[in-house]
Amino acid sequence: MTSIAEQPCYTLINVPMDAEPPTEMQLKQDLEKGDARTKIEALKKVIQMILNGEKMPTLLMTIIRFVMPMQDHTIKKLLLVFWEVVPKYTPEGKLLQEFILVCDAYRKDLQHPNEFIRGSTLRFLCKLKEPELLEPLMPAIRQCLEHRHSYVRRNAVLAIYTIYRNYDFLIPDAPELVHNFLEGEQDMSCRRNAFMMLIHADQERALDYLSSCIDQVNSFGDILQLVIVELIYKVCHANPGERARFIRCIYNLLNSSSPAVRYEAAGTLVTLSSAPTAIKAAATCYIELIVKESDNNVKLIVLDRLIALKEVAAHEKVLQELVMDILRVLGSPDHEVRKKTLSLALDLVTSRNIEEMVLVLKKEVVKTNNVEHEDTGKYRQLLVRTLHQCSVKFPDVASTIIPVLMEFLGDTNELAAADVLVFVREAVQRFDQLRPLVISKLLDVFGTIKAMKIHRAALWILGEYCTSSDDIQSVMTLIRQSLGDIPIVDDEMKKAAGEIKDDEIQSAPGSFQRLVTADGTYATQSAFSTTTSSKKEDIPPLRKDMMEGDFFIGAALATTLTKLALKYIKITQDKKKQNAFVAEAMLIMATIIHLGKSGIAAKPITDDDVDRIAVCLRVLAEKSELMEEIFNKECRGSLSLMLAAKIEEEKQMQEAAERKVVKVHADDPISFAQLINRSDQGAGENMFELTLSQALGMNSKKDTDPLGSSKLNKVSQLTGFSDPVYSEAYVNVNQYDIVLDVLIVNQTGDTLQNLTLELATLGDLKLVEKPQPLTLAPHDFCNIKANVKVTSTENGIIFGNIVYDVSGAASDRNCVVLNDIHIDIMDYIVPASCTDTEFRQMWAEFEWENKVTVNTNITDLKEYLEHVMARTNMKCLTPEKALSGDCGFMAANMYAKSIFGEDVLANLSIEKPLHLGKDASVQGHVRIRAKSQGMALSMGDKINLSQKKAAKLPAA
């Protein structure tokens, strides 16, 4: 038995559920005696009730007698919908007698003087599946091909095409008829419909027509050009020998005025030819489309096409020449477009065009300086990272990049400045020749740095890499400027006392008063002024941080001073200068500890920071060789180890990406075009069929599971085996919707009438349409398909029942309640990766947190992590080296994304208590954070339900 989904249904109508349905008698009265407006309302209600499964057989003749003769256009249009949905057959399968009268009305409408009525009737006939009704109308349909109005002619072509496709015996000469029509037709929409019919009905005639007008293709409208591209693709795909005949036409269509045609032509050209000229023409066309189109979605789709082109090794070389053209896309304001563009350009850039690319990126950096926009900071960060990767890939350009990037250190966007420092640290360690440049530039911009983290890292670099006496003195001067007068506590107390004094001494009880500022100058303030100048702005940056209670910067400063002092002792022979420098360094450290303990700062200094500064003081007091070795050599050694590990990791990732499946094996047969069978000539899968199957949610990949066990896992049993109606559903999850394929089996010896599958949803799920009622013979079965739309990543539940009547029984309707179907959130979650900085930023921003206590039978920490990753589709961001080893506890960060673009973060903190023995289970917590409550709760539920590992069944 055919499934409900295969029955013709074209018109979707929204039915309001709140209104009370009218009775059949009431509707009959409105249709017989009401005015035009009443009849329209009544007809709408009839259509809605029929769609809901009501039969209403008595109203058919009423509508034929009282409504059909009316000439009102709205009624005419509603009648076409009514004829589409109304049951046309008797229970025995014969056509209802009343439809002879309806057929006569169709014929009159096809000869109606109004072109709208003619055209809409022709459109309706495309949906009609009854050959008995269509046969008397064929002469009238043919006549419509000669109508003066294009709306009628184009719908006549469509009607002929659908009738020929379904019932070719009704109009056997359709291809010839449409071919003759096409040669004389001028309207583009009519020509497009006629040409499309020939493509599917008689390809030879379509090719003959195309060959006759191939030089005029550029002058055709875009709708016809798109159909021509489709035809050329299909012909060349089925018969590669035809490529030479039509490839020139595709080249010409790359210059079409329509972006859609250019996009399709470029895609077709790439599939038909792998010649460098063809690839270059297609890529250039794609780039032009991205630059000129304003829609960001279009830009992203076309960028994906370019990225797919790059994946083919032979095409990559062609694209490398177009890097500078690709960089034109950076003019787009969208962050995602820029991100993809920079990533693509970085993959394609070569030593030939790296300098040009760096120039473009430097201009982009300059452009972002004075622009305040939501995404400017992110874009700046992106540019910094790209320039960083450029200099790693091509060290020769690092010297031109560093001066530009150093300007970012004073940037208000801390993330961009941090990225610059990571880059500078790597550059200064790896490229010895750049050290003088980096140090001098860093000394220049040190005064502009605003963020404490950046100060800290900059001090580390200066302390590590300043080697000359002048540089060390310059750093000391900068530090003194950033701290202000020392001792800090005494200076602050004097300031406080000075301010009180100035407040007491006023020149006169007038409207103005004179105040002495911190640097000794006078400031005049009006009594009427509502704003007061903030004195905090005058505080030097390092002092400001410490006054706010952040003494970690003080500990970092102590380390830097120690390194500088130990180096200074080595390179300066003069004992007096040595002692003066060391004493100054020790004074700064002592004043930091004093400030921390004094209570002036917002928070007191921590014990860790005191210990660190005290160690530095002791090192400078003792000046032992061992300590000099640790401070000036071991620190740098640990950095070089970290950078080496990072490079090794990147190398492994690159190798893994390149380690693709071998496309052609050594023992594969060689293909000779002249010797191939006609059936084997198609180059891969048909692009149009592939995209259609993907859009419909069909599986485009080859089935790697021959037994279909993975499909069986998605079958949910809805009723019991002893129920009168047995039912089970296969849940097929597509990207944004779920298709339920429900099998219903009548296990009784009775005929079940009006059997209806009633479904309802819970969560962010929405039922698209109500399944139609049907009749099931004894012990018969059928399939019903139901579509459910998904709008966000949340666990959803579908529940419902099956109701039916038993023929001949006087009892009420029978009902079988179905088991709930739980929609798994994992169908929408995909692993993703992000940097540590991005992870921390998202962790701070996301407001919803779900803390799950670990309750498992797994005894190994690593095994538990892998188990959670497998169950949640999350990717572990913590590197393998940090997880390896056995220390009794583990902390790991995980990240995933939903197909709707929602992020979900997880932090795993687990331990294995040693006192409980070897077989003790893992303990700890998993904290989940997400932007939406549903995501955090659903992911927590998933981890809770799947924490325990299923015990393996013993072998039989």
Side-chain angles (χ1 to χ4, degrees):
M1 186 175 174
T2 58
S3 71
I4 285 292
E6 289 164 18
Q7 290 187 11
C9 173
Y10 304 95
T11 311
L12 291 175
I13 296 170
N14 178 41
V15 183
M17 302 305 286
D18 51 353
E20 194 178 319
T23 61
E24 207 166 325
M25 284 302 296
Q26 191 182 335
L27 287 170
K28 193 172 182 180
Q29 199 170 352
D30 285 350
L31 290 167
E32 280 182 15
K33 297 175 181 172
D35 58 2
R37 189 183 290 274
T38 312
K39 287 185 179 182
I40 287 169
E41 288 305 313
L43 198 52
K44 281 181 182 177
K45 285 172 185 169
V46 171
I47 292 167
Q48 287 170 1
M49 288 173 78
I50 290 175
L51 282 172
N52 277 342
E54 301 289 339
K55 290 283 188 276
M56 299 198 169
T58 57
L59 290 181
L60 183 60
M61 205 59 213
T62 308
I63 288 171
I64 290 171
R65 284 176 60 203
F66 296 101
V67 182
M68 209 163 69
M70 294 186 72
Q71 293 302 310
D72 185 275
H73 286 198
T74 309
I75 287 178
K76 290 270 185 198
K77 190 144 192 181
L78 282 171
L79 276 173
L80 294 177
V81 178
F82 174 74
W83 299 133
E84 186 187 325
V85 299
V86 75
K88 300 174 185 66
Y89 290 96
T90 61
E92 291 78 37
K94 290 182 181 177
L95 191 72
L96 291 166
Q97 294 293 321
E98 291 90 337
F99 273 87
I100 296 167
L101 299 169
V102 176
C103 190
D104 188 53
Y106 293 156
R107 193 174 51 76
K108 284 177 182 169
D109 282 348
L110 287 174
Q111 293 164 346
H112 199 282
N114 183 290
E115 61 272 4
F116 168 75
I117 289 173
R118 275 203 195 199
S120 52
T121 308
L122 284 163
R123 287 184 70 174
F124 162 69
L125 293 180
C126 295
K127 305 170 185 178
L128 211 56
K129 296 285 181 186
E130 288 73 32
E132 304 97 308
L133 294 177
L134 290 167
E135 195 173 3
L137 305 174
M138 292 318 297
I141 294 171
R142 282 170 179 263
Q143 279 176 10
C144 287
L145 281 177
E146 294 161 16
H147 193 270
R148 60 186 170 75
H149 203 282
S150 61
Y151 177 69
V152 177
R153 295 199 303 275
R154 71 166 175 261
N155 283 310
V157 171
L158 275 183
I160 288 170
Y161 169 42
T162 46
I163 293 166
Y164 178 75
R165 189 177 61 190
N166 296 325
Y167 313 105
D168 56 354
F169 59 87
L170 291 177
I171 183 163
D173 61 336
E176 188 184 345
L177 181 71
V178 170
H179 185 260
N180 295 338
F181 166 79
L182 185 58
E183 287 181 335
E185 183 56 58
Q186 294 303 314
D187 182 78
M188 278 303 157
S189 60
C190 298
R191 284 167 81 176
R192 179 250 180 204
N193 286 2
F195 190 70
M196 190 177 72
M197 178 196 159
L198 288 182
I199 289 174
H200 296 286
D202 191 345
Q203 214 171 72
E204 282 303 313
R205 287 182 192 272
L207 286 172
D208 289 345
Y209 174 73
L210 180 57
S211 301
S212 67
C213 61
I214 201 156
D215 296 328
Q216 303 157 31
V217 166
N218 267 5
S219 63
F220 291 170
D222 56 349
I223 51 173
L224 184 54
Q225 286 178 341
L226 280 169
V227 182
I228 288 171
V229 171
E230 184 182 344
L231 171 69
I232 293 173
Y233 176 80
K234 283 182 174 172
V235 169
C236 297
H237 190 272
N239 184 7
E242 296 282 351
R243 287 179 187 177
R245 183 175 163 196
F246 294 113
I247 208 154
R248 176 53 48 200
C249 178
I250 292 290
Y251 267 111
N252 291 340
L253 287 174
L254 288 177
N255 302 317
S256 167
S257 57
S258 162
V261 174
R262 292 208 301 278
Y263 173 73
E264 290 295 342
T268 304
L269 185 60
V270 170
T271 56
L272 299 185
S273 171
S274 55
T277 48
I279 302 303
K280 190 171 183 180
T284 309
C285 179
Y286 281 148
I287 294 164
E288 287 297 322
L289 280 172
I290 301 167
V291 172
K292 289 179 181 173
E293 276 300 308
S294 56
D295 190 334
N296 285 329
N297 292 325
V298 173
K299 287 179 190 282
L300 289 168
I301 290 165
V302 183
L303 260 174
D304 283 338
R305 279 298 182 97
L306 270 179
I307 292 164
L309 269 184
K310 180 210 72 177
E311 298 299 323
V312 183
H315 299 168
E316 194 172 358
K317 290 176 183 173
V318 179
L319 288 174
Q320 283 171 353
E321 298 168 21
L322 299 170
V323 168
M324 299 316 293
D325 289 328
I326 290 169
L327 287 172
R328 287 164 55 205
V329 180
L330 292 176
S332 164
D334 186 66
H335 180 68
E336 198 61 35
V337 173
R338 285 167 162 176
K339 191 175 176 181
K340 277 195 174 183
T341 306
L342 286 173
S343 171
L344 177 63
L346 194 61
D347 288 342
L348 293 172
V349 73
T350 61
S351 52
R352 286 201 304 271
N353 47 25
I354 180 66
E355 289 184 4
E356 292 176 66
M357 178 171 163
V358 167
L359 279 172
V360 171
L361 294 180
K362 279 159 77 174
K363 282 180 186 171
E364 287 295 315
V365 167
V366 173
K367 277 184 199 170
T368 62
N369 276 344
N370 302 317
V371 180
E372 282 309 316
H373 187 264
E374 190 184 345
D375 286 336
T376 306
K378 287 182 186 173
Y379 181 43
R380 213 174 291 178
Q381 209 177 334
L382 206 56
L383 287 169
V384 169
R385 283 186 192 167
T386 310
L387 285 166
H388 177 181
Q389 286 164 309
C390 283
S391 65
V392 171
K393 211 171 173 184
F394 304 97
D396 299 344
V397 296
S399 57
T400 58
I401 293 171
I402 286 169
V404 180
L405 290 188
M406 295 290 252
E407 300 293 336
F408 275 106
L409 291 178
D411 200 280
T412 47
N413 181 3
E414 193 180 295
L415 293 171
D419 277 344
V420 172
L421 265 178
V422 168
F423 164 50
V424 168
R425 186 183 65 188
E426 192 171 335
V428 84
Q429 170 67 17
R430 288 176 62 180
F431 312 127
D432 293 350
Q433 73 277 13
L434 293 177
R435 279 181 196 170
L437 171 71
V438 172
I439 296 299
S440 67
K441 194 72 187 164
L442 193 52
L443 288 168
D444 290 345
V445 298
F446 190 83
T448 63
I449 296 173
K450 298 177 181 71
M452 187 210 51
K453 285 182 185 174
I454 311 304
H455 262 131
R456 216 166 57 213
L459 282 169
W460 189 91
I461 292 170
L462 288 171
E464 195 63 51
Y465 295 100
C466 281
T467 48
S468 71
S469 174
D470 292 344
D471 284 347
I472 292 170
Q473 288 285 6
S474 302
V475 175
M476 182 56 96
T477 309
L478 280 172
I479 290 169
R480 287 297 298 268
Q481 285 172 359
S482 299
L483 283 171
D485 294 340
I486 54 174
I488 298 172
V489 175
D490 294 357
D491 189 48
E492 285 294 322
M493 302 222 1
K494 278 179 193 170
K495 267 193 206 171
E499 281 176 16
I500 294 161
K501 211 171 184 181
D502 288 334
D503 287 342
E504 286 169 0
I505 302 165
Q506 291 183 2
S507 56
S511 60
F512 292 92
Q513 64 182 47
R514 301 185 78 186
L515 301 171
V516 181
T517 59
D519 57 358
T521 57
Y522 286 99
T524 306
Q525 186 178 0
S526 167
F528 299 109
S529 172
T530 52
T531 58
T532 55
S533 58
S534 170
K535 291 193 185 325
K536 283 188 181 178
E537 286 174 12
D538 300 330
I539 301 173
L542 291 181
R543 181 184 288 201
K544 181 170 174 278
D545 291 332
M546 285 187 275
M547 288 295 287
E548 286 168 2
D550 208 324
F551 283 94
F552 187 32
I553 186 80
L557 178 59
T559 310
T560 299
L561 287 169
T562 308
K563 287 179 186 176
L564 291 173
L566 291 171
K567 281 181 195 168
Y568 193 75
I569 291 166
K570 259 194 163 183
I571 55 175
T572 309
Q573 302 305 318
D574 188 342
K575 282 278 179 190
K576 198 174 178 184
K577 281 185 179 177
Q578 284 181 9
N579 290 340
F581 192 91
V582 171
E584 192 173 4
M586 290 172 86
L587 174 63
I588 291 171
M589 291 183 217
T591 193
I592 290 170
I593 294 176
H594 186 199
L595 174 65
K597 300 279 187 184
S598 67
I600 293 175
K603 294 176 194 167
I605 190 167
T606 62
D607 291 343
D608 287 344
D609 293 334
V610 171
D611 288 349
R612 181 71 169 164
I613 299 170
V615 166
C616 291
L617 279 166
R618 188 172 174 186
V619 168
L620 285 184
E622 293 176 357
K623 303 187 188 79
S624 71
E625 289 291 326
L626 174 65
M627 284 299 152
E628 192 193 331
E629 179 80 18
I630 290 170
F631 269 87
N632 283 338
K633 288 185 183 167
E634 296 296 328
C635 288
R636 196 177 300 186
S638 60
L639 171 66
S640 57
L641 272 173
M642 189 193 84
L643 291 176
K646 192 178 168 191
I647 291 163
E648 186 61 35
E649 198 179 315
E650 283 173 4
K651 205 173 176 183
Q652 283 174 359
M653 282 171 71
Q654 205 171 344
E655 282 173 7
E658 287 170 2
R659 206 182 296 139
K660 290 176 183 170
V661 182
V662 182
K663 295 277 176 78
V664 181
H665 291 277
D667 56 349
D668 278 359
I670 300 169
S671 300
F672 293 97
Q674 288 81 358
L675 306 176
I676 299 176
N677 290 334
R678 283 293 296 269
S679 59
D680 297 336
Q681 281 184 344
E685 293 176 281
N686 186 318
M687 186 172 69
F688 286 96
E689 286 174 14
L690 189 68
T691 49
L692 180 63
S693 67
Q694 285 172 345
L696 292 172
M698 297 173 191
N699 193 6
S700 58
K701 295 172 189 168
K702 288 197 172 93
D703 207 345
T704 52
D705 179 16
L707 298 173
S709 58
S710 58
K711 285 187 176 180
L712 289 173
N713 289 339
K714 294 192 174 182
V715 172
S716 306
Q717 187 178 335
L718 302 180
T719 62
F721 291 114
S722 57
D723 283 316
V725 176
Y726 173 73
S727 175
E728 62 183 30
Y730 167 57
V731 184
N732 181 24
V733 178
N734 299 328
Q735 193 165 2
Y736 296 113
D737 65 336
I738 298 163
V739 178
L740 295 179
D741 191 349
V742 185
L743 168 72
I744 295 177
V745 182
N746 179 3
Q747 299 196 109
T748 67
D750 300 314
T751 300
L752 307 182
Q753 293 179 331
N754 291 336
L755 186 141
T756 311
L757 174 67
E758 295 180 345
L759 295 173
T761 57
L762 196 67
D764 275 345
L765 304 173
K766 189 178 179 185
L767 197 66
V768 176
E769 55 185 319
K770 188 177 176 182
Q772 294 289 321
L774 54 118
T775 302
L776 263 188
H779 304 292
D780 196 0
F781 67 91
C782 70
N783 284 71
I784 296 178
K785 281 194 170 72
N787 276 14
V788 178
K789 283 282 170 205
V790 186
T791 52
S792 78
T793 317
E794 265 187 55
N795 284 336
I797 299 171
I798 301 171
F799 54 93
N801 49 41
I802 293 172
V803 290
Y804 59 90
D805 296 326
V806 178
S807 58
S811 63
D812 292 336
R813 298 200 81 182
N814 297 285
C815 177
V816 178
V817 179
L818 307 178
N819 283 340
D820 298 347
I821 303 171
H822 291 264
I823 303 304
D824 193 357
I825 182 181
M826 286 308 108
D827 291 313
Y828 305 104
I829 301 288
V830 287
S833 58
C834 64
T835 63
D836 282 352
T837 318
E838 287 166 343
F839 184 91
R840 287 194 193 100
Q841 192 181 358
M842 284 191 281
W843 189 267
E845 284 174 5
F846 291 172
E847 56 264 33
W848 291 103
E849 181 174 303
N850 191 2
K851 192 174 181 181
V852 178
T853 305
V854 173
N855 178 19
T856 182
N857 53 1
I858 298 170
T859 56
D860 183 65
L861 297 172
K862 191 85 185 287
E863 190 185 345
Y864 181 77
L865 171 66
E866 285 165 2
H867 178 73
V868 169
M869 281 162 61
R871 290 285 179 274
T872 59
N873 285 358
M874 295 186 95
K875 184 179 179 179
C876 182
L877 300 179
T878 310
E880 184 62 35
K881 284 181 182 173
L883 299 172
S884 57
D886 190 12
C887 59
F889 68 88
M890 179 189 280
N893 290 336
M894 296 184 291
Y895 176 56
K897 243 182 167 169
S898 77
I899 56 170
F900 305 102
E902 299 166 307
D903 301 291
V904 59
L905 314 170
N907 172 256
L908 190 82
S909 300
I910 50 176
E911 63 171 347
K912 190 173 176 185
L914 295 171
H915 64 278
L916 295 176
K918 271 188 178 180
D919 297 328
S921 297
V922 171
Q923 295 180 4
H925 293 95
V926 182
R927 289 165 72 201
I928 300 149
R929 282 202 183 181
K931 213 165 193 175
S932 64
Q933 183 186 17
M935 183 72 144
L937 291 173
S938 301
M939 189 58 86
D941 292 345
K942 182 69 188 173
I943 292 174
N944 252 332
L945 291 169
S946 59
Q947 281 198 67
K948 293 191 176 175
K949 198 175 182 185
K952 288 183 181 175
L953 294 170

